[in-house]
Amino acid sequence: MDELDAIKPIFFEECSEQLVELERALALLESGEADQETVNCAFRAVHSIKGGAGSFGMTELVRFAHVFETALDLLRSHKIEPTPEVLQIFLRATDILSDLTAFEQGGEAVDVKRQQESFEALERLFQEKPEPEVLKETEEEEDWGLPEGFVPVPVAIEVLNEADSDQNHVDTPVDSTDGFEIFDLEPNQCVAKDEEKKIEKPEEIESNLPSPSENKKNIQPSRPVASASNTQSIRVDVSRIDRLMDLVGELVIGQAALREVFSSSEKKDPRGDVGRDDLSNAMSGTEQLTRDLQDAIMAVRAQPMRAVFQRMQRVVREAANLAGKKVHLEMDGEDTEVDRTLIEKLTDPLTHMLRNAVDHGVEKEQVRLEAGKPATGTIRLSAAHKSGRVVITLSDDGAGINRVRVHDIAVEKGIISADAQLSDSEIDNLIFAPGFSTATTVTDLSGRGVGMDVVKQAIQDLGGRISITSETGKGSSFSLSLPLTLAVMDGMLVTVAEQLLILPVSCIVETMQISKENIFVSGNNSTVICVRGQFIPIVDVTKSLGIENRKEKTNQPVVLIVEDDAGKMTALAVDRIEGQMQVVIKSIEKNYRSVRYVSAATILGSGRVALILDVPEVAVSAEGRMLDMWTSKNANEFSLECVGKV
Amino acid sequence: MPDAASIHVVIVDDQTSIRAILRNSLAQLGIINVSERKNGKDALEYLSQNSVNLIISDFNMPEMNGLELLKAVRANPRMAKTAFIILTGEASKELVQEAVKAGVNNFLAKPYTVGKLKAVMEAVFGTIV
């Protein structure tokens, strides 16, 4: 049945929403903040999954959901109480339900033993009760028992009056679809959930929105009718959105071209032509439009972090069970909206980090008690918007990084040399080094073949940064900073040996012109600059990129001081700063191949390609040299071209 | 003998997929004049401005459930006679009894086949052509 197959994706999307709802309801029950509606909500979630699954003939899913639903009904009718034991059974069942749904979607097969255990645990809940009554014998057969003697009530078909049937044709009120009609072309691929909803009181709808979007204010309805319901939940085939995203990219480039034309005409005729003001106005209009359009598109793609976060409850639950530890996961900022791609790609790194936190961070109960801590460890996961980026922090109240051990392991694995003198923070950051793993035995949890280096790489691939702070005995905290979108960013255009390069504005702290007096060559030829009494390592970008024979030597280089997440500063020396602009990020890996020190490319208004500098990588190249020097291997050739050439 | 094309149906269910499946099943019976609403409250609002021949509603929905919708529909003189079929997987005896008392025309159990849907509708309207 082709039509049914086309509906399936909608069903699966609903399933994942229902599972999130179910998790949330159970979490509320666990914390004792639940009311009757919470229980109803949990029941409805399982019920809906069962109903849909039945229509698609997913018998295993129906069978399991049925027994789950029956057990939840006992809770709903107060025949059982939400004791920790009962909730534990429900949480397990939720996991199985989620696995079964994933299996129907073509995922891994479900662990039969666990499924059976969970099934029986649920059954026991209502078998202990003398009268399960509801649903017990129903639905095994297709013809469930209608009440004795029920006779369908016949009615005659009325001929509906003209006015009515006319109205029926404009069934979907056009007003309420405003700017989003375009997504409504093929209902099987994209469904605007509330497309038909007529809105009398927009403010009421608004208050019902699960996730008020920060960007919502940027979406101007094209018609004056309330549009709030459309921002609530629009499911769109991602490839369409990607196409839109590309178009926006082109628009940004086009706008840059417009500016180019403008500035060149200005050079030709300094007095300015008649209508130049108009051109200027039109241009700033376009500029604004471009930004708005971009924001609107981002809002369409934005999704609350909740979808990922809720999944993490299970990760922690299972990891804690396996490790025999008591861990509680607290979450904050689930409503923070980020780009859909980010959401998808964050699941794996976050899962890994949480497993790590349970496995390596939180101590065993006994150890915690001896240290005067509560028996249950707490892991906090939070998300927030911070200066144009989304920051996710994951902290635990465990033992913190064991620096002596980390140092020893790093030496043992040849990551650092034995006499290396590292600061605490540098030792902490060694856990991100490739090939580093602190687990002495590979546990079932974090020993899945990947270390924190893989996590770091995954985050960097998303244009993000990760850092750690740790306090012995008090716990560790990871901070992930990610761009809101992967497509457009604010860039600083600079010239390096006649090459145009772009640096993300977000990482630049300040720019300055340096003079010779401020450059110092320290003991081992490492070069630093002195900025207001602070010494900052300086990197010659030209050298880093391997450009040897530059034509013109700059006497007065400009430095851009960049900062990483840990607050470590590096000065990057370039020839000239050209200006600031919005750039569309084009993957260089996809179109060419991965290039060291280059994170991506972009197309300038002039049509020229400019490379986007991988700032952390370039900055680390300075650090690496210094590490080399500390370890007195390979006393190096690093020098800044301009030094002494003035 | 009502003509399928002349029947206007409103489907009330909170699940998009269930609505889509039902719309598809109805189309197989030649019924194409179909509207959808996602809960009782929305349906009632729609019905206040549109006339339909048949309401097919889920039982368990947020905001306003199928039983409440049925009662509200029956309480409105304009819709008191509109055919109402309850589509549900939940078949607690009390709920069914209450629905019968409130004047439901027929029930359709989930999951259903197109044949079953046809039979349930024909029990209400007579043979649909």
Side-chain angles (χ1 to χ4, degrees):
Chain A
M1 277 186 118
D2 286 347
E3 289 96 344
L4 275 192
D5 281 347
I7 301 169
K8 261 188 194 175
I10 305 174
F11 168 65
F12 287 129
E13 186 140 350
E14 279 173 347
C15 278
S16 56
E17 283 171 13
Q18 305 286 10
L19 286 165
V20 166
E21 283 300 310
L22 180 60
E23 282 263 3
R24 192 150 60 144
L26 292 176
L28 284 174
L29 280 162
E30 221 174 9
S31 61
E33 294 161 36
D35 54 18
Q36 189 60 29
E37 183 48 34
T38 314
V39 183
N40 284 341
C41 193
F43 179 84
R44 205 157 40 227
V46 179
H47 179 72
S48 295
I49 291 175
K50 189 184 86 169
S55 311
F56 293 107
M58 302 167 180
T59 44
E60 219 22 44
L61 189 52
V62 172
R63 195 178 73 98
F64 191 84
H66 176 66
V67 67
F68 194 176
E69 176 192 53
T70 311
L72 278 170
D73 189 56
L74 291 176
L75 188 64
R76 191 170 63 156
S77 52
H78 302 288
K79 292 203 175 74
I80 53 173
E81 288 306 309
T83 60
E85 294 74 30
V86 167
L87 288 175
Q88 198 60 37
I89 292 172
F90 286 159
L91 286 168
R92 293 261 163 82
T94 305
D95 295 346
I96 301 290
L97 198 62
S98 148
D99 288 349
L100 283 166
T101 332
F103 173 66
E104 290 292 349
Q105 261 174 297
E108 277 175 49
V110 184
D111 185 334
V112 180
K113 191 167 150 271
R114 285 187 56 197
Q115 186 188 339
Q116 192 54 31
E117 276 169 14
S118 176
F119 189 90
E120 283 164 11
L122 287 169
E123 269 189 336
R124 271 196 299 278
L125 285 180
F126 49 84
Q127 274 162 3
E128 283 160 13
K129 303 287 143 189
E131 268 184 78
E133 135 181 40
V134 183
L135 304 160
K136 181 63 180 123
E137 79 287 7
T138 62
E139 294 173 77
E140 306 291 328
E141 300 284 310
E142 197 194 297
D143 275 317
W144 40 270
L146 285 178
E148 287 286 320
F150 172 75
V151 183
V153 185
V155 289
I157 293 276
E158 279 175 63
V159 176
L160 304 172
N161 68 48
E162 279 304 305
D164 278 340
S165 50
D166 270 349
Q167 203 162 1
N168 294 337
H169 291 294
V170 280
D171 182 18
T172 301
V174 182
D175 290 343
S176 72
T177 58
D178 64 57
F180 293 102
E181 282 163 306
I182 186 169
F183 300 141
D184 197 29
L185 297 175
E186 286 175 46
N188 288 340
Q189 283 176 21
C190 51
V191 175
K193 208 178 178 184
D194 298 325
E195 66 203 358
E196 299 170 348
K197 197 163 170 174
K198 280 196 179 171
I199 302 137
E200 298 283 323
K201 295 179 199 143
E203 68 281 0
E204 188 182 316
I205 305 285
E206 191 128 9
S207 69
N208 287 334
L209 288 179
S211 50
S213 152
E214 290 194 4
N215 294 323
K216 201 168 55 203
K217 58 180 185 299
N218 294 324
I219 302 177
Q220 298 297 328
S222 53
R223 271 161 281 226
V225 180
S227 67
S229 73
N230 296 80
T231 58
Q232 184 181 358
S233 164
I234 297 181
R235 288 187 217 146
V236 190
D237 190 347
V238 179
S239 68
R240 280 165 191 244
I241 296 284
D242 287 342
R243 169 82 188 125
L244 267 172
M245 210 62 184
D246 284 343
L247 286 175
V248 171
E250 298 302 322
L251 188 59
V252 172
I253 295 169
Q255 182 258 317
L258 185 59
R259 183 169 277 289
E260 192 76 18
V261 169
F262 179 67
S263 53
S264 60
S265 77
E266 192 177 28
K267 275 175 206 143
K268 279 180 205 142
D269 183 2
R271 286 171 296 120
D273 295 318
V274 185
R276 218 188 69 178
D277 285 351
D278 292 343
L279 180 57
S280 167
N281 283 342
M283 200 180 60
S284 42
T286 319
E287 219 162 322
Q288 186 56 45
L289 175 80
T290 313
R291 290 241 177 204
D292 287 354
L293 187 54
Q294 205 179 309
D295 287 346
I297 289 291
M298 273 169 65
V300 170
R301 291 180 57 95
Q303 288 188 333
M305 288 292 294
R306 177 171 289 110
V308 189
F309 273 24
Q310 285 296 337
R311 236 178 283 176
M312 294 305 140
Q313 284 287 10
R314 174 181 185 180
V315 170
V316 169
R317 198 154 64 231
E318 289 185 342
N321 275 341
L322 268 172
K325 292 175 183 176
K326 284 189 179 165
V327 185
H328 174 67
L329 177 64
E330 270 180 27
M331 295 188 291
D332 193 27
E334 295 111 306
D335 286 334
T336 308
E337 291 202 330
V338 300
D339 193 273
R340 189 191 164 103
T341 325
L342 274 182
I343 295 227
E344 284 158 8
K345 296 195 171 157
L346 271 174
T347 310
D348 283 350
L350 279 181
T351 301
H352 189 75
M353 288 171 72
L354 277 167
R355 283 193 182 134
N356 255 327
V358 173
D359 213 21
H360 305 310
V362 176
E363 316 91 323
K364 289 221 187 279
E365 196 175 340
Q366 194 55 39
V367 180
R368 290 184 64 87
L369 290 172
E370 277 163 18
K373 291 181 183 180
T376 304
T378 302
I379 297 178
R380 279 188 55 83
L381 184 59
S382 70
H385 285 294
K386 215 165 161 185
S387 52
R389 292 175 76 88
V390 57
V391 177
I392 298 170
T393 53
L394 191 158
S395 51
D396 63 63
D397 65 347
I401 298 272
N402 184 339
R403 297 200 176 101
V404 176
R405 235 180 103 221
V406 166
H407 186 269
D408 290 351
I409 290 169
V411 171
E412 189 189 308
K413 303 220 165 161
I415 297 165
I416 53 167
S417 75
D419 53 354
Q421 296 294 311
L422 304 183
S423 68
D424 284 354
S425 142
E426 278 166 327
I427 294 175
D428 293 347
N429 280 289
L430 282 173
I431 64 162
F432 296 116
F436 185 91
S437 171
T438 53
T440 36
T441 53
V442 174
T443 69
D444 189 34
L445 291 184
S446 21
R448 299 202 177 168
V450 290
M452 287 304 287
D453 56 325
V454 177
V455 171
K456 185 177 186 178
Q457 192 55 50
I459 300 299
Q460 279 178 352
D461 289 348
L462 296 173
R465 302 185 291 256
I466 182 168
S467 63
I468 177 176
T469 51
S470 180
E471 203 175 331
T472 310
K474 295 242 173 95
S476 308
S477 175
F478 289 90
S479 167
L480 278 71
S481 150
L482 294 149
L484 284 178
T485 169
L486 305 176
V488 182
M489 68 163 192
D490 282 313
M492 183 76 87
L493 189 63
V494 301
T495 303
V496 170
E498 278 108 67
Q499 302 281 319
L500 284 173
L501 289 177
I502 300 208
L503 285 84
V505 168
S506 58
C507 67
I508 300 172
V509 182
E510 66 176 298
T511 61
M512 59 171 61
Q513 205 140 47
I514 47 165
S515 56
K516 200 182 151 193
E517 301 83 69
N518 288 331
I519 303 178
F520 299 87
V521 179
S522 71
N524 290 312
N525 261 349
S526 82
T527 322
V528 294
I529 58 167
C530 179
V531 180
R532 293 183 286 275
Q534 197 188 350
F535 290 101
I536 298 172
I538 179 166
V539 181
D540 184 356
V541 176
T542 317
K543 272 242 147 159
S544 284
L545 294 179
I547 304 168
E548 295 293 343
N549 46 347
R550 63 157 108 175
K551 289 186 205 133
E552 87 186 270
K553 304 259 197 245
T554 312
N555 289 342
Q556 285 264 294
V558 176
V559 296
L560 306 162
I561 298 181
V562 296
E563 187 182 34
D564 68 13
D565 284 328
K568 194 173 152 35
M569 306 230 239
T570 310
L572 304 181
V574 300
D575 295 347
R576 242 188 346 268
I577 290 176
E578 304 292 344
Q580 208 171 317
M581 63 185 291
Q582 278 215 305
V583 297
V584 181
I585 302 169
K586 302 277 182 195
S587 166
I588 198 159
E589 222 169 322
K590 233 186 266 166
N591 297 312
Y592 177 54
R593 62 183 172 82
S594 153
V595 181
R596 196 166 181 221
Y597 299 133
V598 174
S599 62
T602 192
I603 300 165
L604 302 175
S606 62
R608 259 181 90 172
V609 171
L611 299 178
I612 300 170
L613 206 62
D614 187 344
V615 172
E617 187 79 20
V618 175
V620 166
S621 78
E623 205 178 322
R625 285 163 209 264
M626 295 176 78
L627 268 176
D628 282 347
M629 280 175 274
W630 289 334
T631 55
S632 64
K633 281 188 221 159
N634 191 19
N636 70 91
E637 68 302 306
F638 178 69
S639 70
L640 195 68
E641 287 256 316
C642 60
V643 177
K645 299 251 163 78
V646 182
Chain B
M1 289 227 291
D3 173 13
S6 71
I7 303 176
H8 181 202
V9 181
V10 60
I11 301 171
V12 191
D13 198 308
D14 54 330
Q15 269 180 286
T16 313
S17 54
I18 296 289
R19 293 200 305 267
I21 292 168
L22 191 51
R23 184 189 274 275
N24 181 259
S25 308
L26 287 167
Q28 288 184 46
L29 298 177
I31 300 169
I32 45 164
N33 197 356
V34 177
S35 310
E36 297 175 22
R37 284 299 178 269
K38 69 185 185 80
N39 62 45
K41 204 169 144 228
D42 286 359
L44 212 54
E45 210 169 288
Y46 175 76
L47 289 167
S48 69
Q49 289 170 31
N50 300 273
S51 295
V52 301
N53 303 107
L54 171 63
I55 300 161
I56 303 182
S57 172
D58 188 23
F59 236 138
N60 197 340
M61 293 176 289
E63 298 273 338
M64 180 192 263
N65 69 30
L67 190 60
E68 287 161 350
L69 173 65
L70 173 63
K71 287 178 180 166
V73 164
R74 289 292 178 253
N76 183 328
R78 194 170 62 83
M79 297 183 267
K81 292 240 166 77
T82 305
F84 200 111
I85 293 176
I86 283 183
L87 167 75
T88 183
E90 185 184 24
S92 118
K93 285 227 168 67
E94 299 92 82
L95 281 176
V96 170
Q97 294 287 12
E98 260 200 85
V100 172
K101 228 166 49 193
V104 72
N105 294 79
N106 211 345
F107 294 93
L108 177 62
K110 279 195 248 182
Y112 62 88
T113 58
V114 174
K116 180 84 183 165
L117 171 68
K118 187 166 192 270
V120 165
M121 283 182 66
E122 287 187 340
V124 177
F125 291 133
T127 314
I128 296 167
V129 290

